[in-house]
């Protein structure tokens, strides 16, 4: 008897995706090079799960999110969504898919038009996609506001009349309007106070359950990523250096960079002791990444081979992989 569920296909799949930005420099702007913002990403995301993407500022997280949302075209590689290859689709085909993919940004203040009322902000995607009109539109907007914990009395107000947390709720309502399947949350709570962060994260979890949403949750610190994610991908210089189920990553990180990020989370109890690993130096420029292992210039355990050879990404179990010549035990 075969009790195992048939292998479900992933909702999203990235295959060796790269995004290199060309730049010019030198006296006559003739010298060209590439900023390797995203440098060979491969991963899958299953329906209903949250994949966290974590890494320092400049590691390529937002670019990865933009590529997934088809807001940027990859230099190389393929992106598949529900067995459909998004890369290479015509603009018309893409338009149909786009409503299924939505973005929640860090700063809703810059993304919400200050001259539009809340009602118009949330109604806009519905009108553009001709998803509702008239009374039905009004009802849907009110319903969305209610879903995110706001009320009808907020309908005719403007973004500046709201607090940061409330504005993020408006941004979430707008992202939900077209009933998307996948939402990329790019530093969605990073600008908010910790107590407000918790409220928004709980709201996102509630909505995920209700709507069966799939999230890609991007942040530069482990705190909110830990709370939200089923699996976590750690990015460094445009590459994933470790990807594992959340609890496994926290209990047994394989990559010294992951270990350093974990050590930076504040302790929750005063008697809890933890040694903070402070990485030396800055993130190297993605325009001129180090040879060998990209992390070797800051790695506390780097050896000769790390300077010479790039480590391959190895699977240690079905749910845990990393790229390091000297993985932690
Ligand atoms: P993160 O979100 O992790 O902070 P980003 O994806 O924003 O990282 O950026 C990754 C790298 O790519 C950075 O070095 C950034 O300066 C560069 N970059 C991002 N967008 C562009 C662009 N449009 N043109 C040139 N360089 C870019
Ligand atoms: Mg970013």
């Amino acid at each position: 008897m075969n009790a195992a569920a048939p292998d479900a296909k992933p909702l999203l799949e990235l295959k060796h995706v790269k995004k290199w930005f060309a730049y010019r420099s030198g006296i006559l702007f003739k010298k060209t090079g590439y900023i390797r913002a995203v440098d060979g990403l491969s991963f899958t995301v299953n329906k209903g799960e949250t994949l966290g993407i974590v890494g320092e500022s400049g590691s390529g997280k937002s670019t990865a999110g933009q590529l997934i949302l088809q807001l940027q075209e990859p230099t190389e590689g393929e992106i598949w969504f529900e067995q459909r290859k998004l890369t290479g689709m015509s603009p018309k085909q893409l338009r149909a898919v786009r409503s299924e993919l939505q973005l929640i940004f860090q700063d809703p203040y810059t993304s919400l038009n200050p001259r539009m009322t809340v009602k118009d902000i949330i109604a806009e995607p519905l009108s553009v996609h001709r998803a509702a009109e008239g009374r039905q539109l009004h009802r849907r907007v009110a319903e969305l506001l209610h879903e995110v914990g706001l009320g009808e009395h907020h309908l005719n107000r403007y973004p500046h009349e709201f607090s940061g947390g409330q504005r993020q709720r408006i941004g979430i309502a707008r992202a939900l309007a077209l009933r998307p399947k996948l939402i990329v949350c790019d530093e969605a709570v990073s600008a908010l106070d910790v107590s407000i962060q918790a409220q928004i994260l709980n709201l996102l979890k509630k909505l995920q359950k209700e709507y069966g949403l799939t999230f890609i949750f991007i942040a530069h610190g482990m705190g909110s990523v830990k709370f939200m994610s089923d699996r976590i991908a750690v990015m460094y210089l445009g590459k994933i250096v470790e990807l594992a189920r959340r609890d496994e990553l926290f209990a047994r990180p394989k990559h010294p960079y992951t270990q350093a990020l974990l050590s930076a989370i504040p302790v929750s109890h005063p008697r809890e002791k933890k040694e903070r690993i402070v990485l030396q130096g800055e993130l190297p420029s993605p325009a001129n990444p180090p040879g060998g292992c990209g992390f070797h210039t800051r790695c506390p355990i780097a050896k000769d081979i790390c300077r010479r050879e790039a480590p391959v990404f190895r699977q240690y179990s079905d749910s845990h992989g990393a790229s390091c010549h000297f993985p932690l035990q």
Side-chain angles (χ1 to χ4, degrees), residues 2 4-10 46 83:
N2 184 5
D7 230 355
K9 293 265 191 243
N46 298 315
Q83 328 300 319

Side-chain angles (χ1 to χ4, degrees), residues 13 20 74 102 130-132 138 206 214 273 278 308 315 323:
E13 181 164 15
W20 290 17
Q102 293 290 330
R130 300 205 183 89
H138 185 88
K206 180 197 91 159
T214 304
K273 281 229 174 77
V278 180
R308 286 196 319 267
Q315 280 306 130
S323 54

Side-chain angles (χ1 to χ4, degrees), residues 229-304:
S229 310
D230 299 298
R231 289 184 301 139
I232 298 174
V234 179
M235 270 186 85
Y236 192 82
L237 285 180
K239 294 184 164 75
I240 291 179
V241 295
E242 184 156 12
L243 201 168
R245 291 205 67 78
R246 182 213 24 214
D247 295 343
E248 223 167 299
L249 190 91
F250 273 75
R252 284 175 298 279
K254 292 277 180 204
H255 201 287
Y257 181 59
T258 308
Q259 193 184 38
L261 288 181
L262 291 175
S263 82
I265 306 174
V267 294
S268 51
H269 195 280
R271 260 181 297 176
E272 196 180 323
K273 281 229 174 77
K274 195 164 61 173
E275 202 178 325
R276 174 143 189 203
I277 304 165
V278 180
L279 291 176
Q280 302 300 313
E282 301 278 305
L283 183 73
S285 165
N288 187 19
C293 170
F295 186 55
H296 85 252
T297 56
R298 299 165 82 196
C299 181
I301 58 167
K303 307 215 174 21
D304 240 12

Side-chain angles (χ1 to χ4, degrees), residues 32 40 68 150 179 183 207 233 244 263 283 303:
T32 55
I68 291 165
L150 297 171
R179 302 185 191 281
I183 299 185
L207 295 169
S263 82
L283 183 73
K303 307 215 174 21

Side-chain angles (χ1 to χ4, degrees), residues 65 127 136-137 163 204 261 327:
S127 305
Q136 201 197 354
L137 178 65
S163 67
L204 288 171
L261 288 181

